DNA sequence: CCGGATCCAATTAGATACTG
DNA sequence: CAGTATCTAATTGGATCCGG
């Protein structure tokens, strides 16, 4: 599973590091998790609230369009990865509170960098899309 | 599309900005694109090669596991968004070369920040996963 | 109120085949 | 070799119900 690429890369090939790119690579898995539709949103919301905890229903309101199921599921993934904590208020009806761990909080900055890039360049990209569309219309 | 959240947020609610979170928001679309399985990988590969162009087959080798179809598709998306250029060598058999635009190149830094975070914390996260699993095993 | 389970619809990705 | 279309298999996400 190491250098066995078979082709042993022609001269023009850039550094095929082989670590980030193997499908089994844990970093890849992590990037998939991060790239998940709701993960970045929840991290942002929880980071802004930090160190305040947020209830399930609150989170739901903060992420318009998220279903009951997906929220539950995403939160569990985050919990599993040690990014958020979960606290159950022992009452009737029970309320459950979520917050970022230190690790989860540390993820917000990197994601913010990407968010900023997106906000900064979205206009350019939309223009590119329109231009691309026009280019495609006229055969 | 501005402040109309309906619920007018109870006091404990954090800043529901309402811009990033509406499903129709272009920044959201962009984040989805960025979070795509192959986008970040291709941007990295092309950024490392920059300003050298890479051929289709080369890209394929650099992204193990990507199918012919997905690579084609992802490259077209990137092209559509003005992140990569495409140059066709008029020969038989034809070769096609891809490279990042300035915009595409500028995306590499933000993504690198996330990659770095992932590489730096993957060990901790894997430990968390194992611990979480153990926690789950014993009822 | 929270969250897991089940069922079902919708989206997505791979394999194949065909065009330039 | 590069790219697209088509068909099909697998995955995902939403609605609903039930249990804690």
């Amino acid at each position: 599973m190491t250098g066995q690429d078979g082709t042993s890369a022609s001269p023009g090939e850039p550094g095929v590091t082989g670590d980030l790119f193997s499908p089994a690579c844990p970093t890849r898995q992590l990037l998939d998790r991060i790239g998940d539709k709701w993960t970045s949103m929840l991290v942002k919301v929880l980071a802004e609230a930090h160190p305040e905890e947020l209830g399930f229903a609150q989170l739901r309101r903060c992420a318009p369009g998220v279903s009951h199921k997906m929220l539950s599921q995403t939160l569990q993934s985050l919990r599993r990865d040690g990014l958020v904590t979960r606290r159950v208020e022992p009452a009737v009806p029970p309320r459950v509170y979520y917050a970022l761990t230190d690790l989860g909080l540390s993820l917000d900055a990197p994601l913010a960098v990407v968010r900023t890039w997106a906000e900064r360049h979205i206009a350019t990209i939309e223009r590119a899309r329109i231009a691309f569309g026009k280019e495609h219309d006229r055969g």
Side-chain angles (χ1 to χ4, degrees), chain A:
Chain A
M1 298 287 200
T2 19
Q4 254 294 2
D5 293 318
T7 52
S8 67
S10 27
E13 222 97 328
V16 175
T17 47
D19 37 59
L20 180 63
F21 296 145
S22 100
C25 166
T27 305
R28 267 292 304 281
Q29 293 174 23
L30 190 55
L31 287 174
D32 278 3
R33 171 70 29 86
I34 289 171
D36 175 85
K37 199 171 188 176
W38 304 111
T39 296
S40 57
M41 179 171 308
L42 290 178
V43 169
K44 178 183 154 87
V45 168
L46 287 168
E48 284 174 352
H50 194 83
E52 202 77 31
E53 298 173 309
L54 292 178
F56 188 86
Q58 276 179 305
L59 286 170
R60 228 185 140 176
R61 272 192 295 279
C62 292
V66 74
S67 69
H68 185 113
K69 182 188 177 181
M70 290 315 328
L71 181 54
S72 219
Q73 205 166 287
T74 305
L75 284 169
Q76 184 163 2
S77 294
L78 291 172
R79 204 149 64 90
R80 196 177 112 89
D81 288 352
L83 299 175
V84 309
T85 58
R86 178 177 179 271
R87 184 174 66 84
V88 181
E89 190 95 353
V92 177
R95 292 201 55 152
V96 186
Y97 293 94
Y98 293 89
L100 288 182
T101 60
D102 286 347
L103 183 60
L105 191 61
S106 79
L107 175 55
D108 185 52
L111 292 184
V113 173
V114 175
R115 274 198 301 269
T116 301
W117 186 93
E119 281 161 16
R120 193 152 134 51
H121 296 289
I122 180 63
T124 304
I125 288 173
E126 291 205 303
R127 249 179 285 120
R129 283 181 186 170
I130 289 165
F132 190 85
K134 279 216 273 258
E135 202 70 28
H136 232 249
D137 284 347
R138 47 182 185 73

